[in-house]
Amino acid sequence: MASLSLRYPDNSPGDFYVDTTCIDCDACRRIAPATFRPADDHSTVGRQPATEEERRRALMALVSCPTGSIGTVSRADARPAIAAFPERVDENVSFCGFTSKDSFGAWSYFIEREDGNVLVDSPKAVPRLLRAFRERGGVSTMFLTHRDDVADHAAFRREFACERVLHERDVSRATADVERKLSGDDTIRLADDLLAIPTPGHTRGHAVLLYRQKFLFTGDHLAWSERRGALVAFRDACWYSWEEQTRSMEKLLDYPFEWVLPGHGAWHHGASPDAMRDELARCVAWMKRRT
Ligand code: SF4
């Protein structure tokens, strides 16, 4: 719950504000870019929403903020924004919203499949999401890309008895009881339409999930940079090995996909699998220059 007394002075005057508990995760800037902008080590309201749609997006950012750092002076009704999640990305893939502080505001995704729904990484286990998932058939599999984005995995397991999947190299005390531990560096077929591809680098046990050769869920391995207009990896947030991460990136050139759906950074829809492959090849070349 944001506090007016902690409001940053650089907020644009008006109803919406960001307070000093912001951890600068960037979720609000991606959900409501017309309203929120970066400022030093935090986000702030760059411009108050000017239209109903901008206001709706700003409220969706408010309810998704991992630290409750966004407020409105009017104490606006956030129920429509809560009901807006999960938000469809494309086809049967949705963005969950409700990011968790435990995952530093990382984004998570929900895939609705006839053979069982998949939750990729962990949002906050809020009642709205639990109900929405239940109404859509529950969660069969919870794919955890790496150790940092596991947040409320235990709550989802309790609620849906889902099989949690995590690479053994990223298992910690908090995830010691996950049902399926991946091992090695070879790609693992979880189902006809689901491939788990180990991508060590950001962490030792990082893995990405490829769904239907179209949607690549990339955790903290790969994202789109709007500033550079390119696919990127996070050199400053590489906790294990940049060289290894570069090799893992190169490995992805063997797989066709159109969407990059990351935990941090922007998502990206390529014009075609070939266009995405070209983007990825540029990213690999850029990473090699940064070694
Ligand atoms: S979503 Fe919240 S914590 Fe993240 S940058 Fe915005 S205000 Fe800060």
Side-chain angles (χ1 to χ4, degrees):
M1 186 83 156
S3 166
L4 255 178
S5 62
L6 298 178
R7 176 166 56 175
Y8 271 116
D10 55 15
N11 283 287
S12 159
D15 196 17
F16 281 84
Y17 65 91
V18 175
D19 78 13
T20 57
T21 61
C22 168
I23 57 171
D24 203 18
C25 72
D26 104 344
C28 59
R29 306 196 292 263
R30 289 167 52 208
I31 295 171
T35 299
F36 300 96
R37 64 168 173 79
D40 298 332
D41 59 351
H42 61 277
S43 285
T44 192
V45 174
R47 178 171 66 72
Q48 293 290 332
T51 64
E52 270 311 304
E53 177 58 11
E54 287 181 6
R55 187 172 175 78
R56 190 181 78 87
R57 298 299 308 178
L59 284 169
M60 288 172 69
L62 182 153
V63 301
S64 288
C65 173
T67 45
S69 306
I70 302 171
T72 55
V73 178
S74 66
R75 295 182 180 270
D77 180 4
R79 282 174 298 184
I82 291 170
F85 291 111
E87 183 188 32
R88 189 170 163 275
V89 176
D90 190 25
E91 299 180 10
N92 52 340
V93 173
S94 302
F95 162 49
C96 296
F98 301 103
T99 67
S100 170
K101 186 179 179 182
D102 294 337
S103 300
F104 198 71
W107 286 27
S108 56
Y109 302 90
F110 185 62
I111 312 171
E112 290 170 75
R113 300 166 62 247
E114 278 183 13
D115 293 340
N117 298 334
V118 180
L119 182 58
V120 182
D121 288 330
S122 179
K124 269 192 276 210
V126 295
R128 164 62 198 165
L129 285 183
L130 296 178
R131 190 169 65 250
F133 295 162
R134 215 178 295 123
E135 287 168 0
R136 298 173 192 201
V139 178
S140 297
T141 303
M142 186 172 193
F143 184 83
L144 301 165
T145 57
H146 66 299
R147 66 181 183 203
D148 302 331
D149 292 354
V150 300
D152 287 349
H153 69 96
F156 288 105
R157 166 69 188 174
R158 274 195 304 276
E159 183 72 19
F160 298 109
C162 50
E163 178 182 63
R164 293 165 293 176
V165 181
L166 176 65
H167 199 287
E168 63 182 4
R169 291 192 293 242
D170 264 22
V171 168
S172 65
R173 195 152 23 141
T175 49
D177 62 348
V178 299
E179 290 67 39
R180 183 161 183 185
K181 299 182 178 84
L182 306 177
S183 60
D185 288 332
D186 292 339
T187 296
I188 298 128
R189 186 171 289 281
L190 301 177
D192 284 349
D193 53 355
L194 288 172
L195 290 183
I197 308 171
T199 49
H202 172 73
T203 57
R204 286 187 71 222
H206 196 292
V208 300
L209 182 71
L210 180 58
Y211 169 55
R212 273 185 28 215
Q213 300 195 332
K214 181 168 184 178
F215 299 92
L216 188 69
F217 299 90
T218 55
D220 286 358
H221 179 67
L222 171 69
W224 180 257
S225 162
E226 272 156 6
R227 186 178 60 80
R228 294 191 55 232
L231 289 172
V232 294
F234 302 114
R235 182 73 180 89
D236 297 340
C238 176
W239 313 133
Y240 173 54
S241 163
W242 184 251
E243 289 73 20
E244 192 92 6
Q245 191 166 347
T246 305
R247 279 193 290 277
S248 295
M249 202 67 81
E250 208 156 15
K251 189 164 77 172
L252 294 181
L253 290 168
D254 294 339
Y255 299 89
F257 55 92
E258 288 176 26
W259 276 95
V260 166
L261 295 167
H264 294 287
W267 63 40
H268 182 55
H269 186 198
S272 66
D274 285 346
M276 186 62 96
R277 192 180 184 284
D278 290 345
E279 302 270 16
L280 188 63
R282 278 193 284 277
C283 176
V284 170
W286 170 79
M287 290 178 77
K288 286 181 175 173
R289 289 197 299 276
R290 297 206 69 195
T291 298

